[in-house]
């Protein structure tokens, strides 16, 4: 019983995640998804692809359309036949990510809504995503919410090297941080403040990406 209580009380992400986001930096949580879950999520994405559920991914927020800024395909893993692929693996990941949301909400002092925006994104050989931010603080949108915290979980099929390309570049105030897509690693950052890009990849690159929203008009994670 004591072991179960201790497990339930354990944090999902390490201390310092909220501090990094509040400082306008990216937080990297290595081994967030264990290897077996990474494998099952890859199989789930493959099943979605075989069912024709991937389409050209756009840029510029939730209503994005395919354009010159991005070369990738995306899939909504929620709106599908749940007998397809490995739904239980995806749902396990969803639950784990929701625990992250709850921890960040407390650390950031920000309302992060439980309705998560989430997608599989597959970059083909030569795929890329030019420098951008995921949302803005402006209130001129008709949407009642905006993206507040972005997350990326890397799902490569085996060990990835810098020479394979496809690095996630995080732009800082004084320097850039290039992140190699390490299997199971989770990256968290402010959706409105952190500019980032996906460098051209020399191998197919699969990720699970998403955003936690906050009511539009609420102050951002990092003051503009």
């Amino acid at each position: 019983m004591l072991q179960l209580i201790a497990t339930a009380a354990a944090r999902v992400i390490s201390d310092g995640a909220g501090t990094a986001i509040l400082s306008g930096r990216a937080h990297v949580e290595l081994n967030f998804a264990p290897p077996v879950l990474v494998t099952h999520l890859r199989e789930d994405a493959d099943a979605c692809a075989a069912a024709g559920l991937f389409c050209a991914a756009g840029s510029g927020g939730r209503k994005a359309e395919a354009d010159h800024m991005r070369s990738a395909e995306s899939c909504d893993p929620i709106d599908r036949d749940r007998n397809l692929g490995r739904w239980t693996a995806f749902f396990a990941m969803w639950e784990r990510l929701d625990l992250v949301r709850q921890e960040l909400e407390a650390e950031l002092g920000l309302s992060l809504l439980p309705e998560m925006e989430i997608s599989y994104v597959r970059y083909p050989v030569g795929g890329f995503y030019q420098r951008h931010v995921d949302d803005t603080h402006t209130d001129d949108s008709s949407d009642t919410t905006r993206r507040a915290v972005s997350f990326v979980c890397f799902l490569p099929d085996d060990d990835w090297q810098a020479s394979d390309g496809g690095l996630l570049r995080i732009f800082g105030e004084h320097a850039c941080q290039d992140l190699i897509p390490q299997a199971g690693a989770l990256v968290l950052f402010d959706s409105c403040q952190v500019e980032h890009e996906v460098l051209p990849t020399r191998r197919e690159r699969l990720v699970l990406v998403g955003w936690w929203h906050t009511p539009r008009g609420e102050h951002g994670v990092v003051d503009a």
Side-chain angles (χ1 to χ4, degrees):
M1 178 63 72
L2 290 177
Q3 183 178 1
L4 290 175
I5 293 174
T7 300
R11 287 180 57 85
V12 178
I13 51 175
S14 57
D15 293 335
T19 299
I21 295 170
L22 286 169
S23 300
R25 296 180 285 110
H27 172 77
V28 181
E29 192 75 23
L30 297 175
N31 304 311
F32 175 77
V36 66
L37 182 55
V38 170
T39 297
H40 289 173
L41 290 171
R42 286 190 57 81
E43 292 172 355
D44 189 50
D46 287 344
C48 290
L53 301 184
F54 276 80
C55 60
S59 61
R62 284 174 285 176
K63 300 176 182 177
E65 296 182 357
D67 57 26
H68 68 281
M69 284 191 64
R70 194 178 195 186
S71 174
E73 293 185 328
S74 66
C75 166
D76 178 354
I78 299 174
D79 187 18
R80 45 106 175 228
D81 181 349
R82 295 183 181 180
N83 292 315
L84 173 70
R86 286 189 173 269
W87 170 261
T88 55
F90 170 74
F91 186 70
M93 185 62 160
W94 172 285
E95 289 189 313
R96 188 163 175 76
L97 286 166
D98 192 61
L99 292 175
V100 176
R101 177 190 66 82
Q102 295 173 52
E103 291 180 3
L104 289 180
E105 188 173 49
E107 291 185 21
L108 300 175
L110 188 69
S111 299
L112 297 178
L113 304 177
E115 295 80 11
M116 190 188 310
E117 185 185 357
I118 192 167
S119 299
Y120 285 123
V121 178
R122 191 190 302 270
Y123 290 84
V125 174
F128 62 89
Y129 196 171
Q130 295 178 9
R131 184 172 179 169
H132 66 285
V133 292
D134 290 336
D135 210 333
T136 67
H137 288 295
T138 57
D139 294 330
D140 56 358
S141 171
S142 60
D143 294 321
T144 59
T145 68
R146 67 166 179 80
R147 294 168 174 173
V149 178
S150 303
F151 64 82
V152 179
C153 186
F154 297 125
L155 303 173
D157 55 354
D158 51 24
D159 290 340
W160 198 283
Q161 305 297 322
S163 58
D164 294 320
L167 278 63
L168 176 61
R169 173 165 291 175
I170 303 294
F171 292 90
E173 184 176 358
H174 303 294
C176 295
Q177 181 182 13
D178 287 343
L179 303 176
I180 296 174
Q182 299 183 61
L186 181 72
V187 185
L188 305 165
F189 53 89
D190 185 302
S191 301
C192 296
Q193 294 293 322
V194 176
E195 292 186 293
H196 54 287
E197 72 173 310
V198 177
L199 302 181
T201 182
R202 299 183 181 90
R203 292 169 54 185
E204 185 179 274
R205 178 185 187 273
L206 178 67
V207 291
L208 185 68
V209 304
W211 302 267
W212 289 292
H213 286 238
T214 194
R216 190 168 289 277
E218 184 167 332
H219 292 300
V221 177
V222 181
D223 292 336

